[in-house]
Amino acid sequence: MELRAVQEVLKEERLDGWLLYSFGGSNPLALEVLGLAHLHLTRRFAYLIPKEGEPTLLCHAIEESLFPPLPGNRKTYHTWRGFLEGLAHLLRGVRRVALEYVPGGQIPYLSRVDGGTLDLLRGMGLELASSWPLLLLFQTWDEERLQSHRRAAAGLARAKDLALDFLRQNPEASEREVQSVLVRALEAEGLIFDHPPMVAFGKNAANPHHEPSEARLEEGAVVLLDLWAKVPGGVYADLTWMAGKRPPEAAHQAFQAVARARDKAIAFVAKAYREGRHPKGFEVDRVARQVLEEAGYGPYIRHRTGHNLGEEVHGAGPHLDDLETHDFRPLVPGLAFTVEPGVYLPDFGVRTEVDVYLHPTGPEATTSLQEAITPL
């Protein structure tokens, strides 16, 4: 943790401190920031980073030995009264404090502190603020992470090509058979993933989270491949690719619409950067959805335009979203996210998905931009 950088943001945001609180694993964001995600914690802890001076850890006495050396001091408790007294002492002189919380629950990814604890802190006279400006420090990538992402992206592309070759050689293959090809290919690349890839044929592609089945590829069907993976210890890459066995013209038209929406979203981010502005996640979602709505596909949109990428495939950083949530966070340099507009009609679904990394000068698409449905 770069304590000085955290304290600079605290001062910029006019915050007296950042209270990283968790009961066991209830706040994965706090655990990730403090490097504690690998620990088996079962009690409450609080770690206060003040805008000036040394941080302080308050933890249960039986778990003190589990915590690695963290900057600052540490105090212990072993009774509930001791915890409340320790917390009050910890927060003495603090008026406005940041937590993993968003007013109204607008961004569920960040709303990790339970309501009872929020009541407790407000009852102590504290003004609560969201920690999202501080979390951005930990959600941006350094060069090492970017390179791990590039390696994962290259592996995904090769796995996708192997799956398409398999379909050409086995034109009546099942979804699960293609999924197995993808799994073996990703494992051969040395990549890991939290869930096997998605493969959907025909009408099944109209379900954005379809679970592959024994359904076999038929004439006139689209094929949707969605795969994601990372190098161990790295960050994720995520890719969706469309193919088809002579799909109907309606599918081609729908794909062209989602490709235009994708390109318009990326162009909007690039223009904002040229103008010296960091666009908000919700703005980019609106731009992409407007393209689809004007083309008549509004009723067939089922999800946001994109999600943050990190150590989890759906990271906790800013999303391109004004559909499922209102993500007001800025897309600052060092962040990465997907751009994946899709439309899901009764007989088929289409989606295009690329990964984007933000340099100080603007966006870079780190995966290929598909321009048309790949014929099988």
Side-chain angles (χ1 to χ4, degrees):
M1 177 187 295
E2 296 183 14
L3 183 59
R4 182 178 298 177
V6 171
Q7 291 180 322
E8 286 177 0
V9 175
L10 286 170
K11 292 172 184 175
E12 290 171 3
E13 297 294 324
R14 299 181 180 178
L15 294 163
D16 296 317
W18 184 7
L19 186 65
L20 292 151
Y21 166 88
S22 186
F23 168 61
S26 67
N27 185 351
L29 298 177
L31 298 176
E32 183 178 339
V33 165
L34 297 174
L36 306 178
H38 64 291
L39 298 182
H40 179 60
L41 299 173
T42 62
R43 303 296 197 276
R44 291 180 285 185
F45 77 84
Y47 184 76
L48 179 69
I49 304 175
K51 65 180 179 182
E52 293 178 339
E54 291 290 304
T56 301
L57 170 69
L58 175 66
C59 66
H60 197 285
I62 67 171
E63 294 191 332
E64 181 184 10
S65 63
L66 299 179
F67 284 82
L70 294 171
N73 310 304
R74 63 176 59 191
K75 300 181 182 297
T76 63
Y77 71 93
H78 68 280
T79 68
W80 64 267
R81 288 188 177 90
F83 174 77
L84 295 180
E85 291 168 0
L87 190 62
H89 181 78
L90 190 70
L91 294 167
R92 187 175 300 166
V94 172
R95 185 186 66 82
R96 189 165 186 259
V97 66
L99 296 131
E100 285 63 68
Y101 141 86
V102 179
Q106 284 189 77
I107 305 176
Y109 283 83
L110 302 185
S111 296
R112 301 294 186 171
V113 178
D114 67 280
T117 299
L118 298 178
D119 290 343
L120 170 65
L121 295 170
R122 289 193 180 103
M124 297 168 68
L126 294 172
E127 179 187 347
L128 308 183
S130 177
S131 62
W132 70 260
L134 296 149
L135 288 168
L136 284 177
L137 294 172
F138 301 88
Q139 292 162 345
T140 52
W141 294 356
D142 57 16
E143 184 61 27
E144 182 179 358
R145 286 189 166 194
L146 177 57
Q147 292 308 317
S148 79
H149 165 78
R150 293 191 192 280
R151 179 180 164 190
L156 291 183
R158 288 189 287 266
K160 174 262 297 180
D161 290 341
L162 286 174
L164 294 177
D165 288 342
F166 177 81
L167 278 167
R168 293 185 183 101
Q169 296 164 13
N170 301 272
E172 296 182 358
S174 72
E175 292 173 343
R176 285 183 181 161
E177 288 171 341
V178 179
Q179 183 187 56
S180 295
V181 170
L182 288 169
V183 167
R184 290 194 299 270
L186 294 175
E187 290 174 343
E189 293 280 350
L191 302 177
I192 59 174
F193 41 86
D194 60 354
H195 189 279
M198 174 184 157
V199 179
F201 298 161
K203 289 185 177 182
N204 291 340
N207 176 3
H209 282 180
H210 171 67
E211 186 68 27
S213 68
E214 295 300 331
R216 296 192 173 274
L217 183 59
E218 298 178 353
E219 188 73 18
V222 298
V223 173
L224 190 154
L225 305 177
D226 187 1
L227 50 160
W228 54 92
K230 66 177 181 177
V231 176
V235 291
Y236 268 90
D238 195 358
L239 171 70
T240 298
W241 201 266
M242 295 299 307
K245 192 174 181 181
R246 287 177 285 277
E249 179 60 25
H252 290 287
Q253 292 175 357
F255 183 83
Q256 289 304 309
V258 297
R260 290 195 303 273
R262 173 200 66 201
D263 295 346
K264 192 74 174 289
I266 297 173
F268 176 82
V269 176
K271 182 175 183 291
Y273 264 68
R274 288 195 302 271
E275 295 170 348
R277 186 175 72 86
H278 299 148
K280 308 292 196 301
F282 76 87
E283 294 180 279
V284 186
D285 180 63
R286 288 179 180 177
V287 167
R289 284 193 292 114
Q290 183 178 4
V291 173
L292 298 177
E293 289 164 355
E294 289 178 352
Y297 293 106
Y300 307 109
I301 299 171
R302 294 289 179 267
H303 56 72
R304 62 195 172 196
T305 296
H307 61 80
N308 175 252
L309 289 168
E311 293 180 10
E312 303 294 331
V313 64
H314 287 192
H319 306 298
L320 311 186
D321 191 3
D322 196 35
L323 181 70
E324 302 173 47
T325 66
H326 178 69
D327 203 318
F328 51 77
R329 292 173 290 176
L331 300 172
V332 301
L335 289 173
F337 49 85
T338 66
V339 180
E340 51 178 304
V343 294
Y344 306 93
L345 287 80
D347 294 328
F348 63 85
V350 294
R351 180 166 71 248
T352 175
E353 179 180 21
V354 298
D355 297 347
V356 171
Y357 175 76
L358 289 173
H359 297 276
T361 54
E364 174 200 355
T366 58
T367 54
S368 297
L369 280 68
Q370 185 177 7
E371 300 300 338
I373 296 176
T374 300
L376 296 174

